[in-house]
Amino acid sequence: MLKFLTALTASLVLASAAEARDLVKEEAQIQAGLDKAYGHLDALYKDIHAHPELALQETRTAALLAEEMRALGFEVTEHVGKTGVVAIYKNGPGPMVMVRTELDALPMEEKTGLPYASHVVADYRGKPTPVDHSCGHDIHMAAWVGAAQQLVAMKSRWHGTLMFIAQPAEETTQGARAMLDDGLFRRFGKPDIGFAQHVGPEPYGTLSYRAGIYNTASDSLEITFKGRGAHGSMPNVSIDPVVEAARFVEAVQTVISREKDPNAFGVISIGSIQAGSAPNIIPDQALVRGTIRTRDEAVRQKLLEGIRRTADAVAMMSGAPEPDVRLIPGGKLLVNDAAVTAKAEKVFKAAFGDRARYEPAPGNPSEDYSEFIVAGVPSLFWSFGGLDPAVIAEAKSKGVPVPANHTPQFAPTPEPTIRFAVEAMTLAVLDAMKS
């Protein structure tokens, strides 16, 4: 028995050493490939950044990515889920691995001052609105193309099928569902494993991940408070919906502070109030929009019920008609597969050391990549940093927030952010396809 155990230990050590040598070779090959390809990826990123498109309007962006993938030898299908792209690369028998990027940008004005900043204005809810890739999907797209380039160049090291998907409308949590409803897995096959990544306001060259619940479920609220319009000088003859909206914004937070268990996560944030057209006119309605974030179904139901009850109560206080309350389901909980996470973790730790960090707790944003997981694809979704450490240090020294996603100043540093994201995704996929 002792001889057997000694031989087994020696075998494991040799296997581990061989894996380490393979990883070093793979990293060197990826870096050499990036040295040749980075200029193209940088130009692609800046082009996409300067020409952002809103959810389900991403026709130019989708066509650009489709062209990139065809040039690499992928079989490409466009218009999946309206503007989505599916690119398939077959390399013999083996697992099918899905890699997802997003296509859409946000309805907000960019204020980075970059030479390739967006000046695009598009129709958003019937109004001309600036558009900005302030979430980082442009970085994701460049890294998605870069990972495809490297995997094709390294196809002697893996076998199976790559499914690279470019998903529309992540920001509105419509796109993943739209692609699934359009027969994504029925038409192209159901992946054995899925990967996705997201840039954030951490130092470039770092990534974070966790098994289990990764972030939050999201819902939206749209409430139209009704009243009776009047001249601004005669509020006594009005029923003021602006007052109703103001009361609601304050009162609804007591659902969080007085009804929800303080140990349970839950957020209600109001992001938009629209009412009136002139300072001396009391309007006859006010529209309130907001977001709800939870990680537990019981908490979710408590918040949704509390929102509806609060809206009805403030209308009653004003003697107003019953408000129109719409509670709109959004992204589901994103739950990373334990086995997929553990396998990728070994590669991340071996390649990046302390720069790869296990997150102790879930984050607060939501993600509709969760739809693919709910549909049965064991997955790992991770985050990577995109900011120059000097930018982070400067913000901290001034006591101001670090420019983060969904702010007008969010500006990831393209290099080395894109290079790092390409390496992380390529290594994760390579490892998964050796199974």
Side-chain angles (χ1 to χ4, degrees):
M1 176 62 78
L2 181 60
K3 289 182 179 179
F4 171 76
L5 291 174
T6 302
L8 178 61
T9 300
S11 176
L12 291 173
V13 169
L14 288 172
S16 179
E19 289 174 358
R21 286 194 296 272
D22 279 349
L23 180 62
V24 170
K25 290 179 182 177
E26 288 167 357
E27 287 187 279
Q29 189 169 348
I30 292 167
Q31 291 304 324
L34 279 167
D35 288 343
K36 296 177 181 177
Y38 182 76
H40 178 71
L41 295 178
D42 187 81
L44 176 66
Y45 161 71
K46 290 173 180 175
D47 182 11
I48 293 171
H49 184 92
H51 300 91
E53 295 174 300
L54 294 171
L56 300 176
Q57 299 177 28
E58 315 97 324
T59 53
R60 180 187 187 274
T61 309
L64 195 61
L65 294 194
E67 181 182 353
E68 292 284 338
M69 301 306 273
R70 285 195 182 96
L72 292 173
F74 282 75
E75 299 172 17
V76 177
T77 303
E78 298 180 70
H79 311 296
V80 180
K82 192 171 182 181
T83 50
V85 177
V86 179
I88 302 292
Y89 194 98
K90 297 178 180 178
N91 189 30
M96 174 181 277
V97 176
M98 181 177 78
V99 178
R100 187 215 67 170
T101 187
E102 316 93 312
L103 293 166
D104 57 328
L106 286 159
M108 62 188 298
E109 183 180 1
E110 179 171 356
K111 297 179 181 178
T112 62
L114 291 167
Y116 51 88
S118 168
H119 301 289
V120 170
V121 174
D123 179 80
Y124 179 70
R125 293 177 171 168
K127 294 182 179 180
T129 304
V131 185
D132 178 18
H133 264 302
S134 54
C135 192
H137 295 176
D138 45 358
I139 288 281
H140 304 171
M141 285 183 261
W144 184 82
V145 171
Q149 290 173 339
Q150 300 311 310
L151 287 164
V152 170
M154 301 172 73
K155 63 183 180 181
S156 63
R157 290 184 169 270
W158 59 270
H159 295 91
T161 300
L162 299 174
M163 175 191 278
F164 271 57
I165 66 170
Q167 177 209 307
E170 187 280 327
E171 295 297 349
T172 60
T173 65
Q174 297 172 282
R177 187 72 260 161
M179 294 190 80
L180 289 167
D181 289 345
D182 200 15
L184 175 64
F185 295 160
R186 173 179 51 79
R187 294 163 61 185
F188 304 100
K190 186 175 180 180
D192 298 290
I193 297 172
F195 292 116
Q197 58 183 344
H198 205 297
V199 69
E202 289 77 38
Y204 52 58
T206 63
L207 65 80
S208 59
Y209 57 92
R210 63 175 278 110
I213 295 174
Y214 190 76
N215 57 13
T216 67
S218 69
D219 296 283
S220 298
L221 64 88
E222 288 190 3
I223 303 173
T224 301
F225 289 101
K226 302 172 185 178
R228 183 168 60 234
H231 194 287
S233 66
M234 296 182 289
N236 56 301
V237 299
S238 75
I239 297 176
D240 194 339
V242 177
V243 172
E244 294 178 66
R247 283 174 173 161
F248 173 82
V249 172
E250 288 200 348
V252 77
Q253 294 304 325
T254 63
V255 178
I256 297 291
S257 65
R258 290 297 178 268
E259 297 184 36
K260 179 187 66 65
D261 182 338
N263 294 311
F265 175 82
V267 170
I268 301 172
S269 292
I270 305 303
S272 172
I273 301 176
Q274 297 172 336
S277 58
N280 61 347
I281 299 172
I282 296 173
D284 60 4
Q285 66 178 31
L287 175 61
V288 176
R289 292 189 176 100
T291 186
I292 306 113
R293 305 300 172 102
T294 54
R295 297 194 192 110
D296 177 87
E297 184 59 25
V299 173
R300 176 175 176 266
Q301 290 301 326
K302 181 178 285 292
L303 299 194
L304 295 179
E305 190 279 329
I307 289 166
R308 188 178 296 279
R309 176 165 33 84
T310 303
D312 289 341
V314 298
M316 188 179 298
M317 287 173 66
S318 295
E322 183 178 338
D324 291 334
V325 180
R326 293 184 64 219
L327 300 174
I328 307 157
K332 300 178 177 67
L333 277 179
L334 193 157
V335 183
N336 280 331
D337 183 83
V340 174
T341 303
K343 196 170 190 307
E345 179 178 38
K346 293 179 182 178
V347 176
F348 289 159
K349 282 294 187 183
F352 307 126
D354 291 341
R355 292 184 293 147
R357 181 171 65 92
Y358 191 94
E359 286 284 0
N364 291 353
S366 63
E367 237 299 339
D368 77 341
Y369 184 87
S370 55
E371 293 285 357
F372 302 119
I373 296 174
V374 171
V377 181
S379 295
L380 173 61
F381 183 103
W382 69 84
S383 298
F384 62 96
L387 298 188
D388 188 327
V391 171
I392 298 173
E394 181 182 7
K396 289 182 178 179
S397 70
K398 294 180 177 178
V400 298
V402 175
N405 308 67
H406 289 225
T407 64
Q409 294 80 22
F410 184 60
T413 304
E415 190 177 18
T417 300
I418 295 170
R419 293 182 68 114
F420 182 82
V422 170
E423 182 179 0
M425 183 58 77
T426 303
L427 290 174
V429 174
L430 278 172
D431 187 63
M433 300 194 86
K434 293 175 184 176
S435 302

